[in-house]
Amino acid sequence: MRILRITRFSLLLGFFLSSFSELTGGAELNVAVERGTSIQINTSAVINTQCKVCIRKVCRSFVVLKSDTRLDFSCSQPENVFTVEIIKDTVINIEPKEHNAFKKFNRTFTWNLKPTATNTIHLNFSRIGLRQIQPTDGCPDKHVYTIMTENVTVGRFCQNGTIKQVSVRNVGKLSLEVSGGQTLATNVTDVSLGVPSNSLANIHVVLPESSSTQDFFTPSTFPENAETMWHFHVPHAYYADVHILSYTVPTCLQPENIPKMKYTWQGREPLEKPLNGIQPLVETGNFNLYIKNCKMSRVSQGLKAHFQISAIKRRKGQCEGDLPEKQMLQIHVMKKDPKSICVLKLDSVIMDTVTIASGNHFDLDTFDCNKDELELTVNQTIECKEWTDCASTPFPITFNYEQQCIPGIVKTMTWHLHGPQNSAVELKSPPDGLRHCPHEDKCNSILLLNVSHLNPGIIVGQFCPKGTIEKIQIRESKIVVTASVTSFSDRNLATKPFLTYSFTKGISEHYIFTVAPKMDNPTVLATPAWPSGMKPSSTVSWIINTEVTSNLKFRNVSQPKCKEVHTNIAVQTIHSQKMVYSTKKDEKIIDVLVPESFYLNMTNCKSPTGAFGAIMEITLQKTTNKLLGIILSIVGIVLMIIIAVGIWIVLRKKKRNKAPPVSVYNPGEHAFLPGLHGIPKTQEEEDPHTYAYIDDTLVYCHLLKGEAENEQCEEPCSDKSGPPLCGPPLPDRPVSKDTSLVSKGSVLVGNDQYGYIQGQSTTSGSPKSPIKPSEEGAYETRLCV
């Protein structure tokens, strides 16, 4: 038992001493070398040292081992001085094996790949995956892979990446650098042979199903006329972006062969992009990327490129269709923030601003774009060449397009109005009107309208909604109306008419504004093109419609210097055609009170030096006193009418009271009081015995005693030619005891026969009692008329 323990101890001690024993001033190492493998031990180039490696007392700074060998080092820590490279030729799967003797050394495992013919060698890294790094970078796990072909370094790589396979042309080499003290990763790399290829290297990349960004580099020393290709597999619903971070382009003997990035997708035409251009963005589906060097000038720098591939799962929007040609529309869709992740793509081409025109089919894709990240700029041309098509017919100005899927918020809308030759354009405001909005004033509205001539340098004015301007007339057949939306999220606003336009015959002035001021707020007016001056010899007229007095105030007037006729400002009333105000040369402009509707006319001189322009303000005067006078006048008239009607009623009543009662012959025995109950009628026709008035003197003229009293009856009664005016004498009748006599020998007068005559009877005293007529017959009488 003791002998066995001593033997085990001796073996362990011998292995330790043979592996790495401390000698006097150095270290000893026994190395076992596999068949077909060579080991190179060399001092690091960055270290200047006297440490040597000795074989059989022959000491050097560099040795190559092809068989088992005992090494002696002249220093105690040779791992700090020497590096080890273990080289093996193979065309089969690569299985890294650790050499325990060199575990403390920085070591490199190299596999030379030598096919028997001109073939492509495929290196499969599916188990570990690689990611490319800069030539000077390292890896976190202290394992760095290097792939070379034909003495050209394809690239340096770390583990845990997206590169699953690398194919090299002809002779290839795979190296694995492992730092001292790091345990070797023994992952197997599959090796296979393929058909010949023109590419120096083919790199196959599988992008993960998560947002990622990968770096790739061209070979550090890119040979002439050589090319490298990358194959990218993009997951479903993910979109790849290509960005070139840095590059150098050689001087080519044939300039047309300057290296470019070339892209191919299945079912699509190849795409070429210069290294200094924008590369494809938001591309879905697998694609290939390759770059080819040219035949370079000897003094040229080499070809190098560092680019990134990003894959992001995006939210996609799509809009496809046609804009009708008759609409003559142009719609520009633009990103508000160029740095936004939002991407616009028209017909598979990435653009910062997309333009869609009438008559063209379009396929617009958006990726991760919110509606408020995109702005729409719309241009529409409206033409009318013949008077029969559009003369004096109003048309609404509105933005109406059929493709509602176009994303974004409308920022500006521009209409180009082209009328018949020698026509004028008439713009009518919506029901709430427009108002001038000079640049120094704030519009305080979500909409701002600009009216200008076809020449963008000649502006008519800037206007806001809700004002007193009802109509604008311009002596020009082609104008431009632009609506700028300052704060707009409701798309329906774009479909509402901003103005209505029509083409009319020419007008006398260059500009005519029809204005209806309001009492609540002052009306601000500005000359065309304010604050710039009006065109030479141009005229402008404002038609101010109001029923009250207006205070016209000139807030700001700029007067030019004229060579001949001076500028003119005139104010003339419309109804009375009275000239209220007119300026003269070098005269100070004053405010004007105008009592009614008026014209405000301005004319610029022919050759001004300087600008002619003005800003006016119209304030309506309150009419409280005048209105009170009108009300009092109406009240007075009503009172006069009431008094007149009252007087007429009183006079009519008095007249009725003065009318006497009417004597009526009553053959029947119907007693009634005239004037109270009316005269009863016994037949349809008018009663012939009813009279309006009976003169007593004509009735009783034969009873009068005196000659003077009887004179008035003599002449009528003596008329022999006409009917008798006086009746014959009444017969004598016996007097009853109830009958009162007027006098002896006088005729009896019965109240029942003649009725009661008020104020005209010949008797005095109280009224007589009615006399009942005899049954033998009624009294007859003949009246004097």
Side-chain angles (χ1 to χ4, degrees):
M1 192 67 161
R2 181 177 298 176
I3 296 173
L4 180 60
R5 291 180 179 177
I6 294 174
T7 302
R8 290 179 177 177
F9 177 79
S10 299
L11 290 173
L12 291 173
L13 180 61
F15 178 77
F16 176 77
L17 292 175
S18 65
S19 299
F20 197 85
S21 60
E22 292 291 338
L23 304 177
T24 305
E28 181 181 318
L29 184 65
N30 291 327
V31 180
V33 181
E34 292 182 353
R35 184 179 178 180
T37 302
S38 63
I39 300 176
Q40 296 179 2
I41 302 173
N42 193 6
T43 56
S44 176
V46 298
I47 298 177
N48 185 10
T49 180
Q50 298 298 322
C51 184
K52 304 293 182 181
V53 54
C54 304
I55 300 176
R56 298 186 184 94
K57 298 184 179 181
V58 177
C59 298
R60 299 175 182 175
S61 60
F62 171 79
V63 295
V64 177
L65 306 179
K66 292 186 178 181
S67 60
D68 298 346
T69 307
R70 177 180 175 177
L71 301 177
D72 294 324
F73 294 93
S74 61
C75 56
S76 60
Q77 294 180 329
E79 67 274 9
N80 296 333
V81 178
F82 293 91
T83 60
V84 177
E85 183 177 4
I86 303 166
I87 303 170
K88 185 176 182 179
D89 298 336
T90 183
V91 289
I92 61 176
N93 294 346
I94 297 173
E95 298 181 15
K97 291 183 179 181
E98 182 67 276
H99 283 253
N100 292 327
F102 301 113
K103 192 172 182 180
K104 291 186 177 181
F105 287 80
N106 292 333
R107 54 213 186 269
T108 301
F109 299 86
T110 301
W111 294 271
N112 292 323
L113 309 172
K114 296 180 180 180
T116 56
T118 305
N119 293 322
T120 299
I121 300 175
H122 302 298
L123 302 174
N124 192 335
F125 299 98
S126 298
R127 293 182 177 90
I128 58 174
L130 301 180
R131 64 179 181 87
Q132 196 169 8
I133 60 174
Q134 293 272 26
T136 57
D137 290 347
C139 298
D141 60 357
K142 311 299 182 181
H143 286 62
V144 178
Y145 290 84
T146 302
I147 299 175
M148 299 180 64
T149 179
E150 298 177 1
N151 297 321
V152 176
T153 301
V154 175
R156 287 166 56 86
F157 308 88
C158 295
Q159 295 185 91
N160 301 320
T162 58
I163 299 174
K164 303 302 181 181
Q165 181 176 307
V166 179
S167 302
V168 295
R169 186 177 63 183
N170 299 329
V171 178
K173 180 187 292 187
L174 173 63
S175 298
L176 174 58
E177 302 174 17
V178 183
S179 300
Q182 184 70 33
T183 302
L184 174 66
T186 58
N187 299 306
V188 177
T189 301
D190 296 332
V191 179
S192 61
L193 299 179
V195 297
S197 173
N198 293 327
S199 296
L200 189 68
N202 291 280
I203 302 173
H204 296 261
V205 183
V206 177
L207 300 177
E209 293 189 3
S210 61
S211 298
S212 63
T213 299
Q214 313 294 328
D215 288 88
F216 300 93
F217 305 88
T218 56
S220 57
T221 304
F222 212 124
E224 291 182 331
N225 295 324
E227 69 177 34
T228 301
M229 180 178 290
W230 291 263
H231 306 270
F232 295 98
H233 177 82
V234 182
H236 176 68
Y238 281 75
Y239 297 86
D241 300 339
V242 182
H243 298 280
I244 295 180
L245 302 183
S246 62
Y247 67 93
T248 59
V249 178
T251 302
C252 300
L253 296 179
Q254 296 177 334
E256 64 272 13
N257 294 331
I258 293 176
K260 296 181 179 179
M261 305 283 277
K262 298 182 181 180
Y263 303 87
T264 60
W265 289 267
Q266 185 177 3
R268 289 174 52 182
E269 293 294 326
L271 178 65
E272 290 190 0
K273 291 288 186 179
L275 293 174
N276 60 349
I278 297 177
Q279 305 305 305
L281 301 174
V282 196
E283 294 292 344
T284 185
N286 305 333
F287 67 98
N288 300 328
L289 166 62
Y290 68 97
I291 183 170
K292 183 178 181 180
N293 199 5
C294 63
K295 189 171 180 62
M296 301 182 296
S297 171
R298 292 184 178 180
V299 295
S300 173
Q301 59 184 347
L303 171 62
K304 292 182 180 180
H306 173 199
F307 61 93
Q308 284 183 341
I309 303 293
S310 299
I312 304 174
K313 189 173 184 179
R314 293 181 176 271
R315 174 171 44 88
K316 181 182 179 181
Q318 187 173 12
C319 183
E320 182 178 2
D322 302 271
L323 288 181
E325 188 172 359
K326 63 181 181 179
Q327 290 187 357
M328 300 181 71
L329 273 175
Q330 248 191 6
I331 302 176
H332 304 278
V333 186
M334 182 180 63
K335 290 172 55 177
K336 294 171 63 175
D337 182 7
K339 297 181 180 180
S340 170
I341 63 172
C342 168
V343 176
L344 295 174
K345 183 182 290 187
L346 180 64
D347 299 330
S348 300
V349 179
I350 299 294
M351 300 179 182
D352 289 335
T353 300
V354 171
T355 300
I356 303 171
S358 291
N360 297 330
H361 181 81
F362 67 91
D363 188 357
L364 175 63
D365 294 327
T366 59
F367 301 90
D368 294 336
C369 295
N370 296 323
K371 182 179 179 181
D372 55 357
E373 290 184 288
L374 301 175
E375 291 181 349
L376 295 182
T377 301
V378 183
N379 287 275
Q380 184 173 16
T381 301
I382 303 174
E383 289 185 339
C384 182
K385 297 181 180 180
E386 301 296 334
W387 275 108
T388 56
D389 298 332
C390 59
S392 301
T393 302
F395 300 94
I397 294 181
T398 183
F399 171 45
N400 188 12
Y401 62 97
E402 298 177 358
Q403 298 299 334
Q404 296 292 330
C405 63
I406 297 177
I409 296 176
V410 177
K411 183 65 177 179
T412 60
M413 290 163 285
T414 302
W415 295 271
H416 302 264
L417 306 180
H418 297 174
Q421 190 174 5
N422 299 325
S423 64
V425 178
E426 181 176 293
L427 301 175
K428 287 187 177 181
S429 65
D432 53 359
L434 298 175
R435 65 182 177 91
H436 271 290
C437 184
H439 293 279
E440 61 269 21
D441 293 347
K442 292 183 178 180
C443 186
N444 294 328
S445 173
I446 63 172
L447 188 66
L448 185 65
L449 293 175
N450 282 275
V451 181
S452 64
H453 293 258
L454 188 61
N455 182 352
I458 304 176
I459 299 200
V460 178
Q462 183 173 270
F463 306 92
C464 296
K466 297 183 180 179
T468 58
I469 299 176
E470 297 178 339
K471 184 168 59 177
I472 303 173
Q473 295 169 272
I474 306 168
R475 196 169 72 185
E476 179 63 57
S477 60
K478 295 182 179 180
I479 68 166
V480 179
V481 178
T482 300
S484 301
V485 183
T486 58
S487 175
F488 183 30
S489 59
D490 183 9
R491 187 172 213 162
N492 294 328
L493 180 61
T495 62
K496 298 178 181 179
F498 300 111
L499 296 170
T500 57
Y501 72 93
S502 59
F503 299 106
T504 62
K505 295 295 184 180
I507 58 178
S508 56
E509 285 80 8
H510 289 87
Y511 310 96
I512 299 177
F513 297 86
T514 302
V515 185
K518 297 178 181 179
M519 185 67 68
D520 50 354
N521 290 317
T523 296
V524 177
L525 304 176
T527 53
W530 177 268
S532 302
M534 295 172 57
K535 295 187 299 182
S537 303
S538 62
T539 59
V540 58
S541 178
W542 289 270
I543 302 175
I544 312 299
N545 294 317
T546 179
E547 296 181 355
V548 298
T549 301
S550 303
N551 182 9
L552 175 60
K553 181 179 180 180
F554 294 91
R555 286 195 341 193
N556 192 349
V557 180
S558 60
Q559 289 281 14
K561 294 182 179 180
C562 303
K563 293 182 179 180
E564 298 177 359
V565 180
H566 197 260
T567 60
N568 180 256
I569 301 175
V571 179
Q572 183 181 7
T573 59
I574 294 178
H575 302 298
S576 61
Q577 294 292 308
K578 179 182 178 182
M579 183 64 67
V580 179
Y581 179 71
S582 181
T583 59
K584 298 180 181 180
K585 183 178 179 180
D586 299 330
E587 184 181 41
K588 184 179 179 181
I589 298 176
I590 61 174
D591 300 341
V592 183
L593 283 176
V594 189
E596 61 177 79
S597 299
F598 62 95
Y599 301 109
L600 171 59
N601 301 325
M602 292 189 183
T603 304
N604 195 7
C605 55
K606 185 175 182 181
S607 301
T609 302
F612 175 59
I615 289 186
M616 293 74 63
E617 184 177 284
I618 297 176
T619 305
L620 300 183
Q621 298 290 326
K622 293 184 178 180
T623 56
T624 306
N625 296 334
K626 184 176 179 180
L627 182 62
L628 181 60
I630 294 173
I631 295 174
L632 292 177
S633 300
I634 294 174
V635 172
I637 293 172
V638 172
L639 289 176
M640 291 179 63
I641 292 173
I642 293 173
I643 294 173
V645 171
I647 294 174
W648 177 78
I649 293 173
V650 171
L651 293 176
R652 185 177 180 183
K653 186 174 181 181
K654 287 183 177 181
K655 186 175 180 180
R656 286 183 176 177
N657 292 336
K658 289 181 179 180
V662 179
S663 298
V664 178
Y665 170 69
N666 186 11
E669 298 181 359
H670 301 285
F672 65 92
L673 293 177
L676 297 178
H677 304 287
I679 302 173
K681 295 181 186 247
T682 58
Q683 54 186 357
E684 293 181 0
E685 61 182 9
E686 186 178 353
D687 191 348
H689 301 287
T690 303
Y691 305 96
Y693 180 72
I694 299 176
D695 191 351
D696 289 352
T697 58
L698 296 179
V699 176
Y700 303 105
C701 59
H702 61 284
L703 300 177
L704 298 176
K705 297 179 179 180
E707 294 182 358
E709 296 175 352
N710 199 24
E711 286 179 357
Q712 56 181 339
C713 194
E714 288 180 357
E715 185 175 351
C717 292
S718 62
D719 189 1
K720 303 297 182 179
S721 61
L725 300 178
C726 299
L730 296 176
D732 292 335
R733 300 248 184 217
V735 180
S736 62
K737 60 181 178 180
D738 295 331
T739 302
S740 59
L741 299 178
V742 178
S743 61
K744 184 179 178 180
S746 297
V747 182
L748 294 176
V749 180
N751 290 338
D752 204 21
Q753 180 177 355
Y754 295 103
Y756 177 70
I757 301 175
Q758 182 180 359
Q760 302 262 353
S761 177
T762 55
T763 60
S764 60
S766 61
K768 306 295 186 292
S769 299
I771 301 175
K772 186 176 181 180
S774 170
E775 295 181 357
E776 296 180 359
Y779 298 112
E780 295 181 0
T781 181
R782 298 170 64 186
L783 301 178
C784 294
V785 297

